[in-house]
Amino acid sequence: TSGSDIDVNVGSTHSEGGGLANAKKGCRVSANVTVGSERFSSDEDLDTTRETTSRSRPMVKNADLLFDPPLRLGNVAPTLLHFPNLFEDRALPKLRRMRLIGFLIEFLASLWFLLEKMLWAIERRCQVHLGKVTATPVYRGSGSDGGTGQWRLSLSFTGHLLLFDWIPVPFISFQLPTFIIPQPHALLEYLMTKQPLASARLRRENIGEEKIAVAALNALESWSTNVKAVVTPPAVEVDLTMAGGITLSFEMMHGREVANSRSNKPSGRESPGTIPREISGESLVSWVTNQQSRVSGTNSSHVPKMMFDSNSLTPWYFETSMDGAIGKDRIVLNVTRCLGRHEDNYAPVPSRSMVTLTGSVIVGRAKSTASVSDRRPSPTKALIKRQLSTGHSDPPPIHALLLFPDEYATSKRSNDQLVEYDYAFDIGEETNLDAVSLSYGASHPMLKGGTIISCMLESIYAYGSIFAREGAVADPCE
């Protein structure tokens, strides 16, 4: 559950008169995204005292993208004609089977070239200025094709058309058909996948994701963001089976949840301050299963009686404020506020944890005097064949080098692909973790049981400063 506000300045600086006068062109982009439960308000979503089981699956409840001043879009009509090549609409095959609609689609496809020329001519006299994009969740029930109901994001656009460079014609909450601009999923579990579209299937092979990411970052000048979120702490569990049949397990989580404290019923807890005497059925997967299935070697030996349910824990509240700037040779990130707070007043032993952090990171292109010649490549690491940059002798932007080093780095090691970095972070004095549970264990098929060692670190405190060494240099390709 989260809400975020993002402000981005997009544009470039143009100088005239020998650099005596500077005119800044571009616009300010503001994004506001709210993610949470279906029927909860923003305050209820960020309330950590509400049980996680009372919340619905997280979904995008609202998203706004504002452009100030309105952003002038070029090549809109021709782009919309070719935009459907990037996805396959789910309803289009069914429409094609209808004789009249299928004939109309084939007729328009035959006139595609002429239609594109006409749209080019219209756009020369009609310019599109986009001021706002809104995404609103809508529920679409199951259709006649047997599909299940799903939440989708309906996209609407607000702005104006400028006819003959002086007659504005506004449009408000204008929606395009889904076969031109598809609707994404509203639920995060589907939106954060390789197929985020609900009304279409994305053709990822036709999308240059790397080029789009680099072009978007090239357009940025400065940015700031404010994020508030409520997150349930996960448990880290590793279960390893060695060659001799011995099984090793390791588990770590925040809180006093070693064993019976995971029970959903508070009556199953021991008295405050004591370690439970019995091991929970949700602990350490290796030895809570049937011993006969373990000896038989079936896959069911690694299936626990009851998987760990993190929804039974009290969530953390996070708040982060950051800003920065992006240039061709320099990236600046300032963390003005990073707060994490956890309070569990209903536990047998009330706990309170807090983490505060402030600092900054600067990454820039290495100077000509920088060198990494004293660093030797690992003999076990195979050499990667990198593609030669073609068409431009100028070094690539530093953000492209960091994101896609194998694509933008040269075959020879040079200072153009080296980066210098510096960081400084201050950890607040109030930073502490109240109880961290650790469990270790081992078992063997020849034994009737296993060994489990559980411990709790009652309090962990840490504060101070962290700095990078002076003149730190890194090679993104390594």
Side-chain angles (χ1 to χ4, degrees):
T1 304
S2 64
S4 62
D5 298 317
I6 303 174
D7 292 331
V8 178
N9 290 330
V10 180
S12 59
T13 301
H14 177 67
S15 61
E16 296 180 354
L20 298 179
N22 291 334
K24 215 171 195 180
K25 296 182 179 181
C27 69
R28 179 185 179 91
V29 183
S30 300
N32 183 12
V33 182
T34 303
V35 179
S37 297
E38 178 184 349
R39 295 182 176 87
F40 279 14
S41 64
S42 298
D43 294 336
E44 291 174 336
D45 281 328
L46 296 176
D47 187 4
T48 57
T49 60
R50 288 187 172 270
E51 296 182 357
T52 309
T53 53
S54 65
R55 305 173 185 262
S56 65
R57 292 183 294 178
M59 62 180 296
V60 179
K61 301 199 295 184
N62 181 54
D64 294 325
L65 191 64
L66 303 176
F67 301 92
D68 183 24
L71 181 64
R72 181 185 180 277
L73 302 179
N75 306 333
V76 176
T79 301
L80 292 179
L81 284 178
H82 294 279
F83 199 68
N85 294 329
L86 305 180
F87 59 88
E88 180 181 353
D89 190 83
R90 301 186 188 277
L92 193 58
K94 183 180 179 180
L95 295 177
R96 286 181 180 273
R97 290 194 292 267
M98 299 181 182
R99 181 172 302 179
L100 180 60
I101 297 180
F103 175 78
L104 182 60
I105 293 176
E106 295 296 334
F107 178 74
L108 292 177
S110 62
L111 300 178
W112 197 268
F113 180 77
L114 180 59
L115 184 61
E116 184 176 359
K117 291 296 183 182
M118 293 175 57
L119 293 176
W120 272 106
I122 295 175
E123 191 167 342
R124 292 191 184 98
R125 302 292 183 266
C126 178
Q127 299 177 1
V128 180
H129 293 258
L130 184 62
K132 182 179 180 181
V133 180
T134 303
T136 306
V138 294
Y139 184 80
R140 179 169 181 179
S142 58
S144 58
D145 55 352
T148 58
Q150 55 184 202
W151 282 98
R152 299 182 177 185
L153 292 178
S154 177
L155 304 179
S156 59
F157 306 89
T158 301
H160 66 273
L161 302 176
L162 193 60
L163 300 179
F164 304 103
D165 293 334
W166 66 284
I167 303 178
V169 179
F171 58 91
I172 301 175
S173 299
F174 178 74
Q175 295 184 359
L176 291 171
T178 56
F179 63 84
I180 296 180
I181 295 184
Q183 294 178 341
H185 285 286
L187 294 175
L188 285 189
E189 60 181 301
Y190 302 128
L191 184 62
M192 307 298 290
T193 61
K194 293 184 177 180
Q195 292 294 334
L197 302 180
S199 62
R201 186 186 67 85
L202 197 63
R203 296 176 177 175
R204 303 180 65 91
E205 64 276 6
N206 296 340
I207 301 176
E209 299 177 358
E210 298 179 0
K211 295 182 180 179
I212 294 176
V214 174
L217 293 177
N218 286 339
L220 298 185
E221 182 178 313
S222 61
W223 59 274
S224 62
T225 179
N226 182 23
V227 179
K228 297 179 181 179
V230 172
V231 181
T232 303
V236 178
E237 182 175 295
V238 179
D239 191 2
L240 301 176
T241 301
M242 311 301 289
I246 187 172
T247 302
L248 304 178
S249 292
F250 170 79
E251 186 182 69
M252 179 179 65
M253 64 183 304
H254 173 256
R256 299 174 177 85
E257 302 293 334
V258 177
N260 285 346
S261 56
R262 293 188 191 177
S263 176
N264 294 330
K265 299 180 180 180
S267 58
R269 299 178 183 264
E270 298 285 341
S271 59
T274 62
I275 298 179
R277 298 178 179 276
E278 296 180 0
I279 297 302
S280 167
E282 303 174 30
S283 292
L284 298 175
V285 182
S286 302
W287 43 82
V288 298
T289 53
N290 191 337
Q291 293 294 330
Q292 294 181 358
S293 62
R294 182 194 306 275
V295 176
S296 61
T298 59
N299 294 333
S300 61
S301 62
H302 298 285
V303 179
K305 292 179 181 178
M306 186 184 301
M307 297 297 294
F308 168 69
D309 184 12
S310 61
N311 293 328
S312 61
L313 304 179
T314 302
W316 277 72
Y317 171 80
F318 285 97
E319 183 176 353
T320 303
S321 298
M322 297 183 294
D323 60 78
I326 297 179
K328 183 178 180 181
D329 300 323
R330 184 183 175 93
I331 299 177
V332 179
L333 170 63
N334 299 315
V335 182
T336 58
R337 176 180 175 84
C338 183
L339 168 68
R341 185 178 65 245
H342 180 268
E343 296 181 1
D344 189 0
N345 298 322
Y346 299 98
V349 181
S351 63
R352 176 183 175 86
S353 301
M354 181 176 292
V355 177
T356 59
L357 180 70
T358 58
S360 60
V361 179
I362 300 177
V363 181
R365 200 178 301 279
K367 301 177 181 178
S368 58
T369 56
S371 175
V372 290
S373 58
D374 56 337
R375 299 167 61 188
R376 298 290 185 268
S378 174
T380 60
K381 183 179 179 180
L383 297 178
I384 301 177
K385 295 182 181 180
R386 305 188 181 99
Q387 299 180 0
L388 296 177
S389 58
T390 58
H392 299 280
S393 59
D394 296 336
I398 188 170
H399 49 266
L401 191 61
L402 293 175
L403 292 176
F404 313 104
D406 294 335
E407 295 293 332
Y408 289 90
T410 59
S411 58
K412 283 187 176 182
R413 175 178 293 182
S414 63
N415 291 332
D416 290 339
Q417 69 184 47
L418 301 181
V419 295
E420 289 183 339
Y421 62 92
D422 188 15
Y423 60 85
F425 289 98
D426 294 328
I427 303 175
E429 295 183 358
E430 62 275 12
T431 298
N432 75 289
L433 292 178
D434 193 356
V436 174
S437 302
L438 300 175
S439 297
Y440 311 86
S443 65
H444 194 276
M446 297 181 64
L447 302 177
K448 294 184 178 181
T451 301
I452 301 177
I453 300 176
S454 299
C455 62
M456 288 184 292
L457 305 178
E458 285 292 338
S459 297
I460 301 177
Y461 296 87
Y463 66 91
S465 300
I466 303 175
F467 300 93
R469 67 179 187 273
E470 185 177 358
V473 181
D475 187 353
C477 298
E478 294 186 352

